[in-house]
Amino acid sequence: MEAEKTGKLIKRLRLEKGLTQKELALMINVSDKAVSKWERGCGMPDLSLLPPLSEVLGITAESLLSGKLEENAMINGNMKRIRFHVCPECGNIVTSLTDGEVYCCGRQLTALKAVKDSEGTVKAERDGSEVIISGTHPMTREDYVSFVALVSTDTVLVRKLYPEWDLMLHLPRIPQALLYWYSAREGLHWSGV
């Protein structure tokens, strides 16, 4: 922990957000003198202040303590490299293109491993400018397809589904797309379109 680096980072992020020292201080219940002290490298925030300060500044506590933001390596954005993550608490769907730490509801999520849908449980049929997605998967409260996604090299289209809905969707046709579908019991599957 270097107080000077952390202070410079706090000041940079505060200014990016258009906040004064007093406004930042009010948001995390400290004095503006405390914020000034941190920004000058004359002290560090108390550990109890790291979560609210990190949230206001939009960074992790680890980045705040290290005083630096890690740059991700630039990738050439092939969307077919997409990774899906599903939060076991709230069901949120989070996607990423690279390895990294993904969190939701305080839990670190692991990328789902897609397996080929060899049984054709969820099918995609081309019909002019549309793709019609249908399936035999039961859509019960206990087990249902919670999302489907069409993925090509430059496009990702995700549709969220809910229990007791019909598994019948009309989506715009995307050239050379893959179809992904997910249920909590069966996991993530893929097939060609």
Side-chain angles (χ1 to χ4, degrees), residues 150-190:
L150 288 178
V151 179
S152 72
T153 55
D154 64 353
T155 305
V156 175
L157 192 134
V158 178
R159 286 287 301 269
K160 181 84 171 113
L161 302 171
Y162 297 93
E164 301 175 357
W165 280 20
D166 287 335
L167 184 50
M168 176 67 79
L169 300 166
H170 293 257
L171 301 175
R173 186 171 172 197
I174 300 171
Q176 300 175 352
L178 295 175
L179 168 69
Y180 288 89
W181 63 271
Y182 172 81
S183 82
R185 280 199 185 153
E186 296 186 37
L188 184 65
H189 289 77
W190 69 273

Side-chain angles (χ1 to χ4, degrees), residues 1-129:
M1 281 189 313
E2 293 185 39
E4 194 172 313
K5 282 184 175 179
T6 296
K8 285 180 181 178
L9 183 60
I10 291 171
K11 182 175 183 177
R12 178 182 138 202
L13 296 172
R14 175 183 61 79
L15 293 173
E16 283 178 9
K17 297 211 173 271
L19 299 171
T20 64
Q21 287 181 343
K22 187 170 192 93
E23 290 169 331
L24 176 59
L26 287 171
M27 294 172 90
I28 59 171
N29 298 318
V30 296
S31 71
D32 58 340
K33 289 178 177 46
V35 174
S36 174
K37 183 173 139 182
W38 304 335
E39 289 184 358
R40 290 180 287 125
C42 298
M44 292 286 285
D46 186 80
L47 288 176
S48 65
L49 295 172
L50 292 180
L53 183 58
S54 298
E55 185 176 339
V56 168
L57 297 176
I59 61 171
T60 64
E62 291 82 11
S63 293
L64 186 60
L65 289 173
S66 72
K68 61 184 177 186
L69 298 175
E70 297 291 328
E71 266 189 51
N72 288 330
M74 185 64 169
I75 60 168
N76 289 330
N78 183 342
M79 300 305 284
K80 285 191 176 179
R81 296 180 184 159
I82 196 163
R83 292 175 175 91
F84 292 96
H85 312 262
V86 176
C87 178
E89 294 294 318
C90 67
N92 277 344
I93 304 159
V94 183
T95 61
S96 64
L97 288 178
T98 60
D99 288 329
E101 294 181 0
V102 177
Y103 290 85
C104 188
C105 295
R107 292 178 177 236
Q108 185 173 4
L109 307 179
T110 55
L112 301 170
K113 302 273 189 246
V115 297
K116 184 158 178 49
D117 183 4
S118 57
E119 297 176 21
T121 306
V122 177
K123 295 183 271 187
E125 296 177 31
R126 298 178 198 170
D127 184 20
S129 63

